[in-house]
């Protein structure tokens, strides 16, 4: 099985002590390539450094939680990081009206600025949306973004339809394994066209709840991507090997990653 984890927060402190082992476990479980998520200018720089050091890929962006910390240096900083050949997308960027760590006007302003940067650089957008439908889709549409992924999709059908209509890819995480809040995804995931589907762990977050035994400190890691992939394959009634191949092909095409 050959998998691409399109979203792993490997700059997180949870991986500081044993990143080498985490990466070798990932390879042992079929994860051929990993895109490290950048969530602030500093974290994006760190993500690009990890990508360079370990043969990974990275995104450069500011998560909506951090929108209030943005200033005139943010976009130039991201532009500089994005010039690195292993930085394959702009983001994660978007709107998060669930936690509201940053005021909505700040979130919208810096989301739009990053969409413009993605367009300027011709790179796909790595998009985060939480409880922000339909505003999120309106902003994406207004900026003419057609190349991107709605990462960690957890929404309902109208939101999924909106993203597919926009031409976006959809990233599925271990949320689909959550018997408390993810069961609606078992049905919705069948509606994602095979050429738009991507899989991701969002490690160290979103450890699949049906993983037994649960890992130490419940830390999620890229090696568990095969578990997520199998859950998606079961829900779609498809062969896991074929689905893995399709999602890896989609990821490589979207991000311009060589096989
Ligand atoms: Zn996110």
């Amino acid at each position: 099985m050959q998998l691409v984890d399109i979203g792993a927060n490997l700059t997180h402190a949870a991986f500081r002590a044993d990143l080498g082992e985490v990466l070798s476990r990932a390879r042992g479980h079929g994860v051929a390539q990993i895109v490290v998520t950048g969530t602030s200018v500093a974290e994006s720089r760190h993500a690009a450094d990890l990508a360079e050091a370990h043969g990974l890929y990275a995104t450069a962006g500011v998560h909506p939680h951090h929108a209030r910390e943005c200033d005139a240096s943010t976009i130039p900083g991201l532009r500089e990081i994005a010039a690195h050949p292993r930085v394959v997308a702009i983001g994660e960027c978007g709107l998060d009206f669930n936690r509201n760590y940053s005021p909505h006007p700040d979130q919208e302003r810096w989301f739009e600025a990053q969409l413009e940067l993605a367009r300027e650089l011709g790179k796909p957008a790595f998009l985060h949306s939480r409880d922000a439908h339909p505003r999120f889709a309106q902003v994406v549409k207004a900026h003419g973004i057609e190349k991107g992924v709605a990462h960690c999709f957890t929404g309902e059908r109208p939101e999924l339809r909106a993203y597919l209509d926009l031409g976006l890819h959809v990233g599925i995480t271990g949320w689909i394994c959550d018997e408390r809040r993810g069961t609606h995804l078992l049905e919705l995931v069948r509606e994602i066209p095979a050429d738009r589907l991507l899989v991701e762990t969002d490690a160290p977050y979103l450890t699949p709840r049906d993983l037994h035994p649960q890992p130490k400190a419940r830390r999620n890691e890229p090696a568990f991507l095969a578990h997520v992939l199998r859950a998606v394959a079961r829900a779609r009634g498809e062969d896991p090997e074929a689905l893995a191949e399709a999602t890896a092909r989609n990821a490589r095409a979207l991000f311009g990653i060589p096989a």
Side-chain angles (χ1 to χ4, degrees):
M1 191 178 281
Q2 277 244 341
L3 293 161
V4 179
D5 188 349
I6 65 129
N9 300 278
L10 298 184
T11 62
H12 194 282
F15 296 113
R16 202 169 290 150
D18 64 346
L19 183 61
E21 290 162 46
V22 167
L23 294 176
S24 79
R25 267 198 298 278
R27 277 190 296 275
H29 287 82
V31 180
Q33 286 150 325
I34 299 173
V35 183
V36 183
T37 311
T39 55
S40 68
V41 175
E43 294 295 310
S44 297
R45 200 162 277 133
H46 185 184
D49 288 345
L50 286 184
E52 163 122 22
H54 298 281
L56 311 172
Y57 297 89
T59 71
V62 178
H63 191 286
H65 287 344
H66 299 296
R68 66 189 317 154
E69 298 151 26
C70 291
D71 60 26
S73 69
T74 301
I75 297 300
L78 294 178
R79 186 184 285 112
E80 185 199 318
I81 297 163
H84 190 290
R86 288 191 172 269
V87 174
V88 294
I90 298 302
E92 65 177 308
C93 59
L95 301 175
D96 194 311
F97 297 165
N98 179 265
R99 301 267 176 95
N100 291 312
Y101 288 154
S102 286
H104 292 193
D106 287 348
Q107 291 194 35
E108 293 215 10
R109 178 177 167 200
W110 294 103
F111 180 28
E112 296 193 286
Q114 291 179 79
L115 293 179
E116 283 309 306
L117 181 64
R119 269 171 58 102
E120 172 197 319
L121 301 177
K123 288 192 189 285
F126 190 92
L127 302 162
H128 173 104
S129 175
R130 192 84 191 277
D131 294 355
H133 184 70
R135 186 61 192 143
F136 170 89
Q138 289 164 357
V139 174
V140 171
K141 186 169 188 179
H143 286 265
I145 297 294
E146 293 165 346
K147 219 168 63 158
V149 52
H151 115 94
C152 189
F153 180 79
T154 58
E156 301 293 339
R157 180 170 283 112
E159 190 174 345
L160 178 63
R161 297 312 322 174
Y163 298 167
L164 294 175
D165 288 348
L166 285 168
L168 299 178
H169 286 64
V170 179
I172 298 293
T173 62
W175 195 283
I176 196 172
C177 304
D178 188 330
E179 81 290 354
R180 302 164 309 172
R181 56 182 188 176
T183 50
H184 68 296
L185 292 177
L186 295 172
E187 197 179 319
L188 283 185
V189 79
R190 302 172 69 97
E191 299 177 20
I192 303 171
D195 61 353
R196 301 272 201 94
L197 178 66
L198 301 170
V199 287
E200 50 177 327
T201 56
D202 206 27
Y205 313 114
L206 301 182
T207 307
R209 279 175 55 86
D210 58 353
L211 195 64
H212 300 294
Q214 285 282 299
K216 214 170 118 197
R218 304 205 61 239
R219 180 185 72 172
N220 196 8
E221 60 175 74
F224 304 146
L225 187 61
H227 182 89
V228 175
L229 184 280
R230 281 193 295 271
V232 175
R234 243 183 345 263
R236 290 168 65 94
E238 289 175 15
D239 170 50
E241 288 286 341
L243 189 66
E245 195 177 308
T247 58
R249 195 182 323 118
N250 296 341
R252 288 167 181 149
L254 178 66
F255 296 119
I257 295 174

